Amino acid sequence: MLIAVTETGSDPRSNAAPAGEQPTGKGRPTPKRRDAQKRRRGPVPANRKEAAAQRRAQARESRQLQRQALLSGDEHHLPPRDAGPAKRLARDVVDSRFTLGQIFFGMILVVLVASLAIPKGYNTVLAAVNALSFIAVILVFLDSLRVGRKAKSRVTAAYDAKSAYGVTAYAAIRAMQPRRLRRPPPKVKRGAAITKT
């Protein structure tokens, strides 16, 4: 039996897929980059007014995504202030330890109630309460600064000094907040061992 041979000398039946096998791939050609970008951008505005309205709509949508990410902890849409592995590591360092900032608002509330409940004649007691509140503020500040420096050293060791820029203040501010009010929400338990992610 004779077999027809193509110009390249191969059997045309060898290029066909075997019976029972489905062709692999997505079944359509990959779009060019410029075409995909045009589809993502949407319609081209006709004038400057439409372009400004389109920019405002995109900014509003971006802000909405960032707000949702701060509540849910979605890493993909966090604002630039909270985005990145260095900031995530700093947050984990803060959330893994107890800080005085977690009870600071409770202490202030107790001091406020005590100052209102103490009669006016007890000036010494009022002065002592005010002094205690002032000492509490200083202790919270020093504790938050200590945690911020610890977070910076961990980020520097895990990444580099450039990634650790601004981490001290970022972590210190987070350490001053009650755990339930921190945004993005904590993802590690108190006392957990922190590793580079």
Side-chain angles (χ1 to χ4, degrees):
M1 178 174 137
L2 296 174
I3 298 175
V5 179
T6 60
E7 293 180 1
T8 58
S10 62
D11 184 357
R13 289 176 297 180
S14 63
N15 294 332
E21 286 189 16
Q22 296 293 331
T24 58
K26 57 190 173 188
R28 57 181 173 81
T30 303
K32 293 184 178 180
R33 180 179 299 209
R34 65 171 178 266
D35 297 333
Q37 288 175 344
K38 284 179 184 177
R39 281 199 298 272
R40 281 199 301 268
R41 289 184 190 136
V44 178
N47 53 42
R48 293 175 65 184
K49 188 174 181 180
E50 287 184 11
Q54 188 176 10
R55 281 195 302 273
R56 284 195 300 272
Q58 289 173 349
R60 188 165 47 248
E61 182 181 358
S62 176
R63 286 194 301 270
Q64 181 66 23
L65 286 173
Q66 290 177 359
R67 278 195 296 271
Q68 291 175 354
L70 285 174
L71 294 175
S72 65
D74 180 16
E75 297 281 343
H76 300 294
H77 297 102
L78 286 175
R81 178 180 65 94
D82 301 293
K87 297 293 179 66
R88 182 172 63 243
L89 178 60
R91 289 195 299 270
D92 290 346
V93 169
V94 174
D95 297 335
S96 67
R97 47 185 76 224
F98 173 79
T99 62
L100 291 177
Q102 295 177 230
I103 60 172
F104 177 67
F105 289 106
M107 290 189 298
I108 292 299
L109 183 61
V110 169
V111 168
L112 181 62
V113 171
S115 62
L116 293 175
I118 295 171
K120 296 292 182 183
Y122 294 89
N123 293 331
T124 306
V125 178
L126 285 172
V129 169
N130 290 333
L132 286 175
S133 63
F134 183 68
I135 292 171
V137 170
I138 293 175
L139 289 176
V140 167
F141 177 76
L142 292 177
D143 182 61
S144 301
L145 188 60
R146 177 185 62 84
V147 174
R149 288 181 175 172
K150 180 69 175 175
K152 181 178 180 179
S153 66
R154 290 290 300 272
V155 171
T156 304
Y159 299 101
D160 54 22
K162 185 176 180 182
S163 300
Y165 180 76
V167 165
T168 302
Y170 177 78
I173 291 172
R174 187 173 178 88
M176 290 182 188
Q177 300 169 344
R179 187 176 173 88
R180 291 185 179 182
L181 299 181
R182 292 174 182 170
R183 295 293 178 265
K187 290 191 173 182
V188 297
K189 294 182 178 180
R190 192 179 294 127
I194 305 302
T195 57
K196 176 182 174 181
T197 56

